[in-house]
Amino acid sequence: MITDKQILDAFWLGTVKRICEGCINNYIGGDKGLNRDDEFNMKHSTYISTPWMSNYVVVDIGNSQLKRRVNKLVENGVLTTLGSRHSSGSYSARLPDEICWPPYRFALEFMAAKGLTEKPSPQPDIEKFKSELEAALLDKFGNALPQVNNMEGA
């Protein structure tokens, strides 16, 4: 049986992938730029939508079972939702701010060190940078969900 801890660890790994994508702005024409260090962009970069949840939260249970389990984690306050539910029932869930801020800010600093700025520019090595960032995030923050006080029951 898959435990809540296993789901949360998988959710953490999915969040790391989302941060690697979300810390970068994609512009028309293919240019890339560094995202801003603000609450809106951090939250946008860390949410995982239910339609794509199984692409990010990889555990050995079916999609509908995963969504039910995530719903329970949301109901218990372990995960938070971003806004309201869509009329289809889909929604976006994310880990608490205190877990998401440190890796998001690390990602911004990492990409800035690679030469990205908020100003759009060509970035031919962006996929390589994202792979390096993912490895650096996992090295710094670990492969399992970092523990914080309000997630004791998870």
Side-chain angles (χ1 to χ4, degrees), residues 105-116:
R105 286 194 168 129
F106 178 88
L108 294 176
E109 292 169 10
F110 183 93
M111 289 301 199
K114 296 290 184 181
L116 269 77

Side-chain angles (χ1 to χ4, degrees), residues 48-122:
I48 299 176
S49 292
T50 53
W52 301 285
M53 193 161 289
S54 62
N55 294 334
Y56 288 99
V57 183
V58 181
V59 287
D60 196 19
I61 57 176
N63 291 345
S64 60
Q65 180 66 16
L66 174 61
K67 288 177 187 173
R68 278 195 293 279
R69 298 284 298 276
V70 167
N71 282 340
K72 196 60 130 171
L73 291 167
V74 168
E75 288 172 17
N76 292 337
V78 177
L79 297 174
T80 185
T81 59
L82 198 71
S84 59
R85 293 180 188 255
H86 187 270
S87 60
S88 68
S90 67
Y91 62 93
S92 298
R94 54 185 293 280
L95 294 164
D97 287 353
E98 58 268 22
I99 290 174
C100 293
W101 270 117
Y104 179 72
R105 286 194 168 129
F106 178 88
L108 294 176
E109 292 169 10
F110 183 93
M111 289 301 199
K114 296 290 184 181
L116 269 77
T117 65
E118 286 186 19
K119 183 179 177 189
S121 64

Side-chain angles (χ1 to χ4, degrees), residues 15-32:
T15 299
V16 167
K17 288 187 181 310
R18 288 283 304 135
I19 288 171
C20 292
E21 297 165 5
C23 71
I24 300 163
N25 281 323
N26 297 301
Y27 294 92
I28 295 173
D31 285 354
K32 309 290 184 207

Side-chain angles (χ1 to χ4, degrees), residues 3-49:
T3 66
D4 285 351
K5 172 83 169 98
Q6 288 171 305
I7 291 172
L8 288 168
D9 286 346
F11 208 96
W12 162 249
L13 294 175
T15 299
V16 167
K17 288 187 181 310
R18 288 283 304 135
I19 288 171
C20 292
E21 297 165 5
C23 71
I24 300 163
N25 281 323
N26 297 301
Y27 294 92
I28 295 173
D31 285 354
K32 309 290 184 207
L34 194 59
N35 218 331
R36 289 186 303 263
D37 184 0
D38 61 27
E39 184 175 13
F40 173 83
N41 286 294
M42 180 278 292
K43 287 183 177 183
H44 178 74
S45 298
T46 56
Y47 77 84
I48 299 176
S49 292

